[in-house]
């Protein structure tokens, strides 16, 4: 009898291990991912291959990082993440060099997200008006930088065509339009104050610039939050889509789309495919869907359902709640994988999900969360290894020091995610000494700094 039970348990353990083995990649496989990312980067940068490339490597028209002589008062907007923020950024140069920020967070109501573009931008301008009132600065014509984190085709620093809304935004009449025009028109409609819209900035570049102000080695920006994306400084001669060979330009990689041409199919699991199929944009952003906060909980949930259906977990009994999409949040991974969390507390999480669990179940779920978050961090690290090695090769250096500015709740709050990214980059790009610097101030500060740089260059041109 005892041996029969032991035999069954051992067999179940083996079945679980087999399913989870799809999430264990060897370093050779990760190196292959790095190599493919590098190839995709080349495809995105080259004129011939750009239009068909999955990783778009978008030019941003941001050509220089702050030189710390910037000064003045700037307004910044941040739209595209969980919150909409309006910020006032005061920058001093010289001996009392400093940056001071004030900001307010505003909700974007469903009506505005899903109504007409005019309604959305009127709401944005309404928030700006409230903020200027609050700061007592309605009469100054402030230069404005706009962090706008959606896929866009940038044509100038202040001209940016929205290609596609993502993350729940649907406002009509915006796709294919210049976001700066939409904002300027809304300011005009309100007729209450004027603003000088100088720059529109992707959040990866905002993050890089925000860290770069204090750290001259920072030339990469990484986002690991709701979504996942990266940007970095590329030498102009490699940016074939933009005229000129002198100097450098920030590239918004839009790397979340890595794998959309099928090149990651051998490392995607059946669970990744399911998450993709049930998402709002099937087939799109495949790399992002294997890494970011919007999806990791969903991947874990699918594995738990599959285990339970096979009788390998929760005594084979699935709750209706577990089948609800989005019920298993990525923050659960952080809680479950934290060492301080007692198994008892874990059972409380399962109870919320309508599941009766045993101690063994808790151990199994912890293991599932572990392999999923580990692979996510390794994949992100493999992509980053490709970026820093390219920067090194661009300079013809044997060794290089690169700092990466990073923002994102998943990176910040998950107990192991950051360590796994660091270790992966270290192993896959051994010639690069990479440090990760968390931006505490967010990409809004970066947008203000980019605006400040543009104003400095504009003023220098007028003399
Ligand atoms: P955004 O990317 O929207 O600008 P964040 O960087 O705050 O903003 O990322 C939000 C994402 O972080 C959400 O998708 C959520 O799944 C994830 N998240 C929230 N809390 C945690 C946590 N404790 N651990 C891991 N991920 C989390
Ligand atoms: Mg954000």
């Amino acid at each position: 009898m005892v041996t029969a039970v032991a035999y069954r348990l051992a067999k179940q353990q083996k079945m679980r291990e087999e399913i989870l083995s799809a999430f264990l990649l060897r370093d050779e496989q990760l190196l292959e991912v790095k190599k493919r990312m590098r190839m995709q980067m080349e495809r995105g940068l080259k004129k011939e291959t750009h239009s068909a490339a999955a990783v778009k490597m978008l030019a941003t028209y941001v050509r220089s990082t702050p030189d710390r002589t910037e000064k003045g008062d700037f307004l910044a907007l941040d739209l595209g993440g969980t919150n909409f923020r309006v910020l006032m950024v005061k920058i001093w140069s010289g001996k009392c060099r400093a940056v001071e920020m004030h900001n307010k967070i505003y909700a974007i109501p469903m009506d505005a997200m899903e109504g007409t573009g005019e309604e959305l931008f009127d709401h944005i301008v309404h928030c700006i008006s409230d903020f200027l009132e609050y700061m007592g600065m309605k009469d100054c014509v402030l230069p404005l930088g706009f962090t706008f984190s959606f896929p866009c085709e940038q044509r100038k620093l202040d001209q940016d065509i929205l290609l596609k809304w993502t993350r729940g935004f649907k406002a009509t009449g915006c796709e294919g339009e210049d976001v700066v025009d939409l904002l300027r028109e809304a300011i005009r409609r309100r007729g209450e104050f004027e603003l000088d819209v100088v720059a529109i900035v992707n959040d990866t570049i905002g993050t890089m610039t925000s860290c770069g102000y204090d750290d001259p080695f920072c030339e990469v920006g990484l986002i690991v939050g709701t979504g996942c994306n990266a940007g970095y400084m590329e030498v102009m001669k490699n940016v074939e889509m933009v005229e000129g060979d002198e100097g450098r330009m920030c590239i918004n990689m839009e790397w979340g789309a890595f794998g959309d041409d099928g090149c990651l199919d051998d490392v995607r699991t059946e669970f990744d495919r399911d998450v993709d199929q049930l998402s709002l944009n099937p087939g799109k952003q495949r790399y992002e869907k294997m890494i970011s906060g919007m999806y990791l909980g969903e991947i874990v949930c699918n594995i738990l359902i599959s285990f339970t259906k096979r009788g390998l977990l929760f005594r084979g009994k699935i709750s209706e709640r577990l089948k609800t999409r989005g019920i298993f949040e990525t923050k659960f991974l952080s809680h479950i994988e934290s060492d301080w969390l007692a198994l008892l507390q874990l059972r409380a999480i399962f109870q919320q999900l309508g599941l009766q669990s045993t101690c063994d179940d808790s151990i199994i779920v912890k293991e599932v969360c572990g392999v999923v978050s580990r692979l996510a961090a390794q994949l992100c690290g493999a992509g980053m290894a490709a970026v820093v090695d390219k920067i090194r090769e661009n300079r013809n250096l044997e060794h290089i020091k690169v700092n990466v500015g990073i923002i994102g709740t998943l990176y910040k709050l998950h107990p192991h995610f950051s360590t796994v990214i660091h270790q992966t980059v270290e192993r896959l790009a051994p010639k690069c000494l990479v440090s990760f610097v968390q931006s505490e101030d967010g990409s809004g500060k970066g947008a203000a700094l980019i605006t400040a740089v543009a104003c400095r260059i504009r003023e220098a041109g007028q003399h």
Side-chain angles (χ1 to χ4, degrees), residues 406-426:
I406 178 157
I407 289 188
T409 303
L410 177 56
Y411 180 90
K412 191 168 160 186
L413 295 186
H414 187 280
H416 311 302
F417 205 91
S418 53
T419 316
V420 177
I421 293 190
H422 303 168
Q423 290 170 344
T424 307
V425 175
E426 209 173 296

Side-chain angles (χ1 to χ4, degrees), residues 127-147:
C127 299
I128 301 175
S129 165
D130 175 80
F131 183 75
L132 289 174
E133 190 89 56
Y134 163 75
M135 294 295 298
M137 295 190 79
K138 249 193 186 139
D139 299 325
C140 327
V141 182
L142 291 168
L144 175 126
F146 189 178
T147 308

Side-chain angles (χ1 to χ4, degrees), residues 22-38:
F23 288 87
L24 306 176
L25 294 195
R26 295 184 310 279
D27 269 5
E28 303 100 271
Q29 291 169 291
L30 290 171
L31 276 168
E32 185 58 34
V33 172
K34 173 191 171 193
K35 196 169 116 193
R36 290 176 198 167
M37 175 65 90
R38 174 59 187 266

Side-chain angles (χ1 to χ4, degrees), residues 261-313:
D261 59 356
C263 80
L264 288 178
D265 284 357
D266 57 339
V267 293
R268 290 170 80 222
T269 67
E270 57 178 298
F271 305 103
D272 294 307
R273 285 191 289 275
D274 289 347
V275 166
D276 179 34
Q277 282 310 315
L278 288 174
S279 67
L280 290 171
N281 50 351
K284 299 269 181 337
Q285 302 290 98
R286 293 187 196 176
Y287 183 59
E288 174 171 77
K289 286 174 185 162
M290 297 168 87
I291 298 175
S292 75
M294 193 158 173
Y295 306 99
L296 289 194
E298 219 48 14
I299 298 176
V300 168
C301 189
N302 283 357
I303 300 175
L304 300 186
I305 290 173
S306 161
F307 274 10
T308 312
K309 279 187 181 158
R310 292 172 205 220
L312 304 174
L313 190 65

